[in-house]
Amino acid sequence: MDVMHWLWKNYVRPHRMKMVAAMFLVMVTSALAVTGPLIVGHIVDEVLEGGNLDVLMPLLIAMVAIMFIRMTIVWCFRMIFETFSQDATCAMRRDLYVKLHEMDFDYFSANKVGDIMAKMTGDVETVRHFIAWVVYSLFENFMWLSLSLIMLIRINVPLTLSLSLVAPILGFYAVRLVKEVRPTFADIRESFSTLNSVVAENIGGNRVVKAFAREDYEVEKFQKQNLDFREKNLISAGVWAKYLPVLDGLSSMLGGIVILVGGLFVINGYMTVGDLVIFNGYLWMLAVPMRMFGWLLNDFQRSRASLEKIKEMLDVKPKIPLEAIQTTEAIKGFVEFKNVSFHFEDDDRVAVLKNVSFKTKPGETVGILGETGSGKSTLVSLISRFYDAVDGEVLVDGKNVKTWNTRQLRDAISTVMQDVFLFSDTTAANIAFSNTSADMSQVKHVAKLADAHHFIEALSDGYDTIIGERGTGLSGGQKQRLSLARALLKDPSILILDDTTSAVDMETEYKIQQDLQKVGVNKTTFIIAHRVSSVKDADLILVLNKGEIIERGTHDTLMAKSGYYATVYNEQIGTQ
């Protein structure tokens, strides 16, 4: 489907009555524009040439009245276009944001933040400009061109035909302009996206840049992309510089042709001076569309490039669809892996998990240990179906996770991720994010379980303290405890803790573990950790190495094997 048809079908058609009304007003004001030169022509023929002063004042009053009527109508249709363009792009922006939340992890791995932001801001604004201004300008200029040609032919056919000498040349250069300028807009759009990504990356990583004193390096990297963006715009400007003067020059030639040929017609009595004045008065209605043609093509092609990017994002189908939550059986928390293997789509040569099998039931705790990169986080991500297993099956309550409603599945799982993310909101709101219907007593209860209550109370406004973006101002341990409280407030069937207590001291970790045992009676709990002390009381401990389970069992069983687990335990206990 052509992007313009797609825009009309999805975002403009719901406002078609407003558009029809606005287009009608454009037709009216275009028709009123025809009266101006006619009145001036009558003044020349009847007043200046004929000496009839009685008609002068009525004609002047008519000119002023028509001018005010046109001004009012122009204001009306421009406001209508602006209103429904805002409505259309508001809906488009919402659809993009909804699509953003439908996308799975693979999409965000493959697409730059700057590119996504460019689509939701710059591209949407370009589309708004197209609907609000380019659409009615195209129609208005078409009306001016059509009406002026009709009037010019009625006044003097030979003089009108003399103007057509310029038209084929104008058409030739206009087509050349469209062909050459379109690819430059795509290049500008890509460069702008990369520029956005560089800025977004540096805003997020500003602390790292400062910590390594690499400001100069980052400025140089930005400037390199900035210059590339400048170069792409200059290339586009070069195309316009090559063709616009020609188009403007050819449009300006129209006036010269009218004066030369029309003057000869007046001298030879083929037309009156008034007719020549009227003819010349309509010339602007012919010349302006020709001059505007290049600019409108520019905006049209720029809008088309933006629409293609927006449509491309909205047409993406997530590999793991998010259906609406259905009222079905509650998830109890039985989890089983059957010969599960996994690799990322962009690198199928590296197996992240290999033939992983285990099972657990509600009330049990599974501890997962292993070196960095052994596949621990990926394993628990398959339970929430952030990714799908390549081989084997992941079962929840005896059913393959692919057969569960994805939203319902995730609604029954709380995950405290390794990379803690907090919103720029109050402390209480961050905890209540998982359960917005919870009252303050529930929020404080889970904060105490996560050993966060005492430090929250010590903040300037307690639970009403606004947390900086991404938790700025809080320590790593404090952020982890808030994230844990958020997960506990959800009261899930399955609780996944991915290295949740790595940034807290041993005493705090022990207290949190004791509290988790109290609330985890009916929950299936997965604990990923580097500290053996975090998982030694688990009902099942899995030791991963390069995606494979190399050891499994309870603490006592694994200690008796004197393998990897026992070695790590003795090393860590020996350093305390």
Side-chain angles (χ1 to χ4, degrees), residues 181-254:
V181 82
R182 186 173 182 178
T184 67
F185 288 135
D187 291 340
I188 289 172
R189 174 62 183 71
E190 289 301 321
S191 184
F192 179 67
S193 169
T194 306
L195 189 68
N196 263 3
S197 293
V198 172
V199 175
E201 187 177 67
N202 271 268
I203 291 173
N206 68 89
R207 292 171 181 267
V208 177
V209 174
K210 293 183 183 299
F212 286 91
R214 297 292 283 167
E215 291 90 347
D216 291 342
Y217 171 78
E218 290 299 325
V219 169
E220 183 181 343
K221 185 169 72 173
F222 171 82
Q223 184 61 7
K224 181 180 178 181
Q225 188 56 45
N226 193 24
L227 290 172
D228 179 76
F229 184 59
R230 169 184 175 273
E231 186 63 27
K232 295 294 192 300
N233 276 281
L234 287 176
I235 291 172
S236 180
V239 176
W240 286 102
K242 182 165 67 173
Y243 288 106
L244 273 186
V246 177
L247 294 173
D248 281 345
L250 290 171
S251 298
S252 299
M253 284 177 61
L254 297 176

Side-chain angles (χ1 to χ4, degrees), residues 219-369:
V219 169
E220 183 181 343
K221 185 169 72 173
F222 171 82
Q223 184 61 7
K224 181 180 178 181
Q225 188 56 45
N226 193 24
L227 290 172
D228 179 76
F229 184 59
R230 169 184 175 273
E231 186 63 27
K232 295 294 192 300
N233 276 281
L234 287 176
I235 291 172
S236 180
V239 176
W240 286 102
K242 182 165 67 173
Y243 288 106
L244 273 186
V246 177
L247 294 173
D248 281 345
L250 290 171
S251 298
S252 299
M253 284 177 61
L254 297 176
I257 293 173
V258 169
I259 297 299
L260 178 62
V261 180
L264 290 174
F265 283 179
V266 170
I267 291 171
N268 291 287
Y270 294 126
M271 63 188 304
T272 65
V273 175
D275 285 342
L276 181 59
V277 170
I278 295 172
F279 198 99
N280 194 60
Y282 287 126
L283 198 60
W284 72 270
M285 293 181 70
L286 190 66
V288 168
M290 290 182 175
R291 285 198 180 97
M292 287 292 294
F293 186 66
W295 294 107
L296 292 172
L297 277 177
N298 176 21
D299 284 338
F300 180 81
Q301 294 298 340
R302 190 183 296 274
S303 302
R304 192 180 186 88
S306 291
L307 271 171
E308 286 171 352
K309 288 293 181 181
I310 292 171
K311 185 176 183 296
E312 178 186 277
M313 180 173 172
L314 289 175
D315 285 347
V316 173
K317 301 296 182 185
K319 298 180 181 67
I320 302 172
L322 283 179
E323 313 92 340
I325 294 179
Q326 299 173 354
T327 305
T328 58
E329 60 198 281
I331 292 176
K332 298 173 184 176
F334 291 91
V335 177
E336 181 178 0
F337 276 55
K338 285 186 176 181
N339 302 314
V340 171
S341 296
F342 177 79
H343 60 73
F344 289 106
E345 189 175 297
D346 58 352
D347 192 358
D348 57 5
R349 295 170 300 176
V350 179
V352 182
L353 295 173
K354 304 174 188 175
N355 298 317
V356 174
S357 296
F358 69 89
K359 63 167 57 177
T360 187
K361 58 188 179 183
E364 292 186 340
T365 298
V366 178
I368 305 174
L369 287 176

Side-chain angles (χ1 to χ4, degrees), residues 143-200:
M143 289 297 300
W144 287 353
L145 190 66
S146 302
L147 291 172
S148 62
L149 282 173
I150 292 171
M151 297 305 294
L152 292 176
I153 290 170
R154 289 187 62 185
I155 295 168
N156 193 294
V157 175
L159 184 55
T160 304
L161 291 175
S162 69
L163 300 178
S164 65
L165 297 173
V166 179
I169 307 173
L170 272 169
F172 170 77
Y173 278 102
V175 171
R176 291 287 301 273
L177 172 63
V178 171
K179 287 183 178 179
E180 289 192 32
V181 82
R182 186 173 182 178
T184 67
F185 288 135
D187 291 340
I188 289 172
R189 174 62 183 71
E190 289 301 321
S191 184
F192 179 67
S193 169
T194 306
L195 189 68
N196 263 3
S197 293
V198 172
V199 175

Side-chain angles (χ1 to χ4, degrees), residues 3-67:
V3 287
M4 290 301 168
H5 180 224
W6 173 82
L7 175 65
W8 161 259
K9 180 181 177 181
N10 293 281
Y11 297 103
V12 178
R13 189 164 63 180
H15 311 283
R16 58 186 178 276
M17 295 311 297
K18 291 181 183 177
M19 188 173 184
V20 169
M23 288 298 195
F24 175 74
L25 293 178
V26 172
M27 291 175 63
V28 172
T29 189
S30 298
L32 289 175
V34 173
T35 61
L38 286 174
I39 293 174
V40 173
H42 281 300
I43 291 174
V44 171
D45 280 344
E46 296 186 31
V47 179
L48 298 182
E49 293 289 325
N52 185 6
L53 296 177
D54 293 338
V55 299
L56 178 60
M57 189 56 64
L59 289 173
L60 291 177
I61 291 172
M63 282 185 67
V64 173
I66 290 171
M67 180 188 70

Side-chain angles (χ1 to χ4, degrees), residues 485-498:
R486 178 170 61 194
L488 294 174
L489 185 63
K490 190 177 182 180
D491 192 24
S493 300
I494 301 171
L495 179 63
I496 298 173
L497 308 177
D498 190 350

Side-chain angles (χ1 to χ4, degrees), residues 33-34 74 96 110 119 246 317 406 420 437 463 486 532 535 554:
V34 173
V74 167
L96 285 168
K119 289 171 184 172
V246 177
K317 301 296 182 185
T406 308
V420 177
S437 62
Y463 282 85
R486 178 170 61 194
V532 175
V535 300
T554 63

